[in-house]
Amino acid sequence: MSRAPNREFQEWWNKQRERSIDLFSPTDGPSTTAAAAGDPLLPLEIRTPRSDQAVEKSRARSARQLSWVCLLRFQQIASLVASAAASFVSLLRTANRRIAASPADSSSSRLYRIIRFFLILVLVLLGFELLAYSRGWHFSPPSVGSKEVLGFVGLVYANWLEIRATYLAPPLQTLTNVCIVLFLIQSVDRVVLVLGCIWIKIKGIKPVASVDYEKKEDLESESGDEVYPMVLVQIPMCNEREVYQQSIAAVCIQDWPRERMLVQILDDSDDLDVQLLIKSEVQKWQQRGVRIIYRHRLIRTGYKAGNLKSAMSCDYVKDYEFVAIFDADFQPGPDFLKKTVPYFKGNDDLALVQTRWAFVNKDENLLTRLQNINLSFHFEVEQQVNGVFINFFGFNGTAGVWRIKALEDCGGWLERTTVEDMDIAVRAHLCGWKFIYLNDVKCLCELPESYEAYKKQQHRWHSGPMQLFRLCFFDILHSKVSLAKKANLIFLFFLLRKLILPFYSFTLFCIILPLTMFLPEAQLPAWVVCYVPGVMSILNILPAPRSFPFIVPYLLFENTMSVTKFNAMISGLFKFGSSYEWIVTKKLGRSSEADLLSFGEKESDPLLETSTLHRSSSESGLAELNKMEMTKKAGKLKRNRLYRKELGLAFILLTAAVRSLLSAQGIHFYFLLFQGISFLVVGLDLIGEQVS
């Protein structure tokens, strides 16, 4: 029986033969003729096997994939454009809202007009330079005496080159050299302070108290009245709705005999609700047995100095030997008095014991981190070095203990400046009193988290010293202290650190540097722009080593703040209206609730007369806290603002950056670019607390 033919195999075999013939087909041309003649050496062309259907399918797939890729790209571009448009519209709305919410600042209108004129000038000069660059004049600048035909524009540009080289560049270079010298002097002062701090750390130098309350033998050797002197504790406040509870509670739980301490709550609030809340808090602690009184002035003159002066005029103050002062946002530890008062024993010429500030919100945002760098250097280096080597420094206004006799000896609190703390410290120093700074005793407080609050604080801190310098200059000259102390007060304390620092910082980096881009005949060396400021920033950040990642923002932000400090310094020096303006720094009380809980845990039975009283007081405190929160929510809506001076300087620096790019000045370009961006960020109020 015969097998059935395998047709599938036959078809496969035929296809393979066709492919073989196709692979070894002869080439076209002369070889075909040779094949016809029977040439045995027949050249063959070997072709790659392929399938037409597979090729067509792959081509179709490639075209389809390309279409999807193009559609995806178009979608991404459309999404990017829509996002950019939405961001631009949002930026315009934010700018419009902040412009509407920003009242005109008449006190700084003079400086703003100067900055606006300067901005118009650099824009005109940049347009002129771009025109000259387009015509190639940066390679071969035209001259007035040349024989070639220049045209009107060329003639104007040639005259401009001659005027700036002959008349403008020399005085600008002179001013530049003066600012460089001042910059170097201030840098040397900063290096000396750091070296002094290093010496203190190496030698372990620190003040030593004659009494230690932790040692029983010291307490047994003295009678109770001598060991625990009478201490008056003052908390001046004004509309401190957010923080009054934590400061009052922190003072009332001081580990000090009750009969040897009296707490004064000096309330200057003009808000009736706040007054009632503070009165209720005082009554609550009175019920717990704490000696605390509430004082409210009907005539609120002299700001904080007037408030303290009024409190010191009470008849019972003569029974007290020392006075501790705390601002409303400060929270001293329970052992604060035990760590500070002992230094007065045996030091009859000691007037002040100042402690260090520690910040509960230093990591809240970029603004608080940068403030922490500045204040860490101030306390760790400036205050400590001055306290150890010359026994004098500026009183910080809070977290310190004064000898009441020293306050009376130097004339008490005066209302003539907005820096009453520095005023009384200078007068006490001129009377021969000494100060001690304790770097290891820290008092918790709060940093301003919004740029608006920080700017107002810095304006007061930099206008007040110039008021004071103008008022006490001749008193310093006529005082009986040594010539070295007079020189230290005038040249270092006031001129170098309070006047020269904001002057050269603003003039050198915000005025002279942009001008040198348009007047290249006057030059500012790269080491002044980059290297020396970088080294100084590293020195400033040493007391806060965890802040090293923020060294570049710190350098840029310090230059940005120079416009505020310069304006404040000029206002205080020449008695402009804004120099006497006192605005209470806004606090947020972020640690209030946590502190209330911690204080509740730390309270011991002796502080409470009965458990019923404790329960009613706690319920009263919670009710007041709830009322406070409701009032806060119903308060006025806050908005971020726009700052005109900072924005004007931002555009000036960015314009100068474009000009430096034409001149291929690398370091100057990058500095101007990033400094201009820094001014822009601050001017748009994008640093610090953001509110809607």
Side-chain angles (χ1 to χ4, degrees):
M1 188 175 181
S2 62
R3 296 179 58 184
N6 193 341
R7 298 186 182 277
E8 293 180 357
F9 177 78
Q10 187 68 32
E11 292 177 359
W12 175 81
W13 179 255
N14 293 336
K15 287 181 180 180
Q16 293 300 320
R17 289 184 61 189
E18 292 175 359
R19 292 184 61 185
S20 300
I21 295 173
D22 186 58
L23 281 173
F24 297 98
S25 61
T27 58
D28 297 335
S31 59
T32 307
T33 309
D39 192 348
L41 299 176
L42 179 65
L44 297 176
E45 179 184 5
I46 301 177
R47 299 178 181 177
T48 304
R50 63 181 181 177
S51 173
D52 295 338
Q53 294 180 355
V55 172
E56 292 177 359
K57 186 175 181 180
S58 63
R59 289 177 179 175
R61 186 185 300 114
S62 300
R64 191 161 50 251
Q65 291 176 347
L66 183 61
S67 301
W68 282 110
V69 170
C70 292
L71 288 175
L72 182 60
R73 296 297 183 190
F74 285 140
Q75 183 181 8
Q76 291 176 347
I77 294 173
S79 176
L80 182 62
V81 171
S83 176
S87 301
F88 182 71
V89 172
S90 176
L91 180 63
L92 289 180
R93 290 178 178 175
T94 302
N96 186 35
R97 184 173 63 248
R98 296 188 180 184
I99 290 174
S102 302
D105 188 3
S106 59
S107 62
S108 60
S109 58
R110 298 182 184 89
L111 182 59
Y112 174 68
R113 285 198 293 266
I114 295 174
I115 293 175
R116 185 173 56 184
F117 170 77
F118 190 34
L119 174 60
I120 296 173
L121 177 63
V122 296
L123 287 175
V124 172
L125 291 178
L126 178 62
F128 208 25
E129 293 295 337
L130 290 175
L131 178 62
Y133 191 86
S134 64
R135 299 196 176 190
W137 289 341
H138 58 291
F139 292 117
S140 56
S143 60
V144 178
S146 63
K147 297 181 180 179
E148 58 179 329
V149 180
L150 299 176
F152 176 75
V153 177
L155 186 62
V156 171
Y157 188 72
N159 282 278
W160 160 246
L161 293 180
E162 184 176 355
I163 290 173
R164 80 182 190 187
T166 307
Y167 301 103
L168 300 180
L172 180 62
Q173 187 65 58
T174 302
L175 180 61
T176 302
N177 295 335
V178 170
C179 289
I180 291 175
V181 171
L182 296 178
F183 179 36
L184 293 178
I185 293 175
Q186 197 273 335
S187 301
V188 170
D189 174 64
R190 190 59 55 99
V191 171
V192 170
L193 288 174
V194 172
L195 293 177
C197 183
I198 295 175
W199 176 262
I200 292 173
K201 296 294 183 183
I202 293 176
K203 294 296 183 177
I205 302 174
K206 61 170 57 179
V208 179
S210 58
V211 177
D212 188 353
Y213 286 104
E214 301 297 330
K215 296 181 179 179
K216 294 183 178 180
E217 55 270 19
D218 289 351
L219 300 180
E220 293 174 354
S221 62
E222 304 284 350
S223 62
D225 292 346
E226 294 179 355
V227 174
Y228 295 100
M230 298 290 286
V231 178
L232 182 68
V233 181
Q234 296 177 335
I235 306 180
M237 56 179 62
C238 181
N239 297 323
E240 307 283 0
R241 180 188 300 272
E242 293 81 7
V243 294
Y244 74 93
Q245 283 184 314
Q246 62 190 39
S247 58
I248 294 176
V251 167
C252 288
I253 64 170
Q254 283 294 307
D255 187 11
W256 198 260
R258 291 193 204 172
E259 65 278 2
R260 313 295 296 176
M261 180 181 74
L262 174 65
V263 181
Q264 284 183 321
I265 305 302
L266 311 177
D267 183 24
D268 262 2
S269 303
D270 54 6
D271 188 335
L272 183 59
D273 292 337
V274 177
Q275 294 179 26
L276 294 176
L277 288 173
I278 297 175
K279 284 182 181 179
S280 176
E281 186 71 14
V282 170
Q283 292 174 0
K284 181 176 68 176
W285 286 101
Q286 286 175 344
Q287 293 174 352
R288 298 184 182 184
V290 178
R291 298 178 69 232
I292 180 172
I293 60 176
Y294 174 86
R295 282 180 54 86
H296 179 75
R297 294 193 299 162
L298 297 178
I299 303 176
R300 300 168 57 250
T301 58
Y303 303 114
K304 181 180 176 181
N307 198 359
L308 294 172
K309 181 179 180 181
S310 174
M312 294 299 293
S313 64
C314 297
D315 293 336
Y316 53 79
V317 173
K318 65 179 183 294
D319 299 328
Y320 294 85
E321 188 176 357
F322 305 106
V323 55
I325 303 173
F326 302 99
D327 283 349
D329 61 315
F330 277 70
Q331 308 165 48
D335 57 351
F336 180 87
L337 293 179
K338 284 190 173 182
K339 288 184 176 180
T340 54
V341 173
Y343 290 90
F344 288 97
K345 184 175 178 55
N347 295 325
D348 295 335
D349 57 350
L350 180 61
L352 169 67
V353 174
Q354 173 71 58
T355 63
R356 180 171 179 169
W357 298 359
F359 310 107
V360 296
N361 61 337
K362 62 182 179 180
D363 297 325
E364 188 65 32
N365 53 44
L366 179 59
L367 179 61
T368 58
R369 292 177 185 272
L370 300 180
Q371 292 179 69
N372 179 57
I373 296 173
N374 252 341
L375 291 172
S376 295
F377 183 87
H378 170 69
F379 286 105
E380 183 83 19
V381 179
E382 292 178 345
Q383 297 290 76
Q384 186 170 211
V385 170
N386 291 326
V388 169
F389 290 104
I390 61 178
N391 296 118
F392 168 73
F393 46 82
F395 174 45
N396 294 116
T398 177
V401 181
W402 277 91
R403 188 188 297 271
I404 295 181
K405 181 181 177 181
L407 293 178
E408 296 171 349
D409 184 42
C410 64
W413 299 102
L414 298 182
E415 307 168 9
R416 57 181 182 173
T417 71
T418 58
V419 283
E420 74 293 327
D421 46 8
M422 184 182 295
D423 185 5
I424 201 166
V426 170
R427 287 186 282 115
H429 181 59
L430 294 179
C431 291
W433 292 94
K434 295 182 179 180
F435 302 164
I436 282 180
Y437 172 73
L438 302 179
N439 191 57
D440 54 349
V441 180
K442 299 180 180 180
C443 189
L444 292 177
C445 63
E446 183 179 329
L447 290 167
E449 296 183 13
S450 68
Y451 179 69
E452 180 182 8
Y454 179 65
K455 182 178 181 180
K456 291 177 180 177
Q457 181 195 70
Q458 291 300 306
H459 187 277
R460 176 165 55 86
W461 285 4
H462 286 82
S463 64
M466 290 298 99
Q467 302 171 20
L468 181 60
F469 178 65
R470 183 168 35 81
L471 293 171
C472 70
F473 176 72
F474 291 104
D475 294 336
I476 296 174
L477 294 179
H478 298 150
S479 64
K480 297 180 181 180
V481 298
S482 64
L483 184 62
K485 291 184 177 180
K486 292 180 181 180
N488 173 70
L489 272 176
I490 294 175
F491 294 107
L492 291 181
F493 187 77
F494 280 112
L495 289 181
L496 183 60
R497 297 167 187 166
K498 302 298 188 297
L499 189 148
I500 291 178
L501 177 58
F503 170 77
Y504 87 76
S505 181
F506 173 74
T507 306
L508 191 63
F509 297 110
C510 300
I511 301 298
I512 292 178
L513 179 58
L515 279 179
T516 55
M517 298 298 101
F518 298 96
L519 304 176
E521 293 81 5
Q523 296 183 355
L524 189 62
W527 58 268
V528 176
V529 176
C530 180
Y531 303 122
V532 176
V535 173
M536 292 299 104
S537 298
I538 293 175
L539 294 180
N540 288 349
I541 215 167
L542 285 178
R546 292 179 56 191
S547 301
F548 262 99
F550 303 96
I551 186 170
V552 174
Y554 170 74
L555 172 61
L556 298 175
F557 182 70
E558 280 301 290
N559 291 333
T560 304
M561 285 302 299
S562 65
V563 60
T564 297
K565 298 176 181 179
F566 176 81
N567 182 44
M569 182 266 294
I570 295 297
S571 299
L573 192 62
F574 297 103
K575 296 192 295 185
F576 292 155
S578 62
S579 62
Y580 291 94
E581 182 182 15
W582 179 290
I583 299 177
V584 178
T585 304
K586 184 67 176 176
K587 290 98 175 178
L588 299 178
R590 291 192 176 274
S591 58
S592 296
E593 299 176 10
D595 291 333
L596 285 174
L597 294 175
S598 63
F599 288 143
E601 294 175 356
K602 292 179 181 179
E603 288 172 355
S604 56
D605 292 336
L607 280 176
L608 308 176
E609 296 181 0
T610 62
S611 60
T612 306
L613 177 61
H614 173 61
R615 184 167 55 253
S616 62
S617 300
S618 301
E619 292 172 356
S620 174
L622 290 175
E624 291 160 15
L625 184 60
N626 292 333
K627 180 180 178 182
M628 179 186 68
E629 294 298 329
M630 293 299 295
T631 309
K632 285 169 60 178
K633 292 178 181 179
K636 184 178 179 181
L637 182 64
K638 297 189 302 180
R639 294 187 184 276
N640 292 95
R641 299 177 54 186
L642 289 179
Y643 299 96
R644 299 182 299 173
K645 296 190 295 294
E646 286 80 356
L647 288 176
L649 287 169
F651 293 124
I652 289 173
L653 293 171
L654 293 175
T655 304
V658 176
R659 177 63 182 87
S660 68
L661 187 61
L662 298 178
S663 304
Q665 295 178 316
I667 293 179
H668 295 75
F669 166 73
Y670 288 113
F671 182 86
L672 288 167
L673 176 63
F674 290 114
Q675 191 64 69
I677 294 174
S678 175
F679 268 102
L680 187 63
V681 169
V682 173
L684 295 175
D685 200 6
L686 298 177
I687 186 172
E689 180 195 19
Q690 296 297 302
V691 294
S692 60

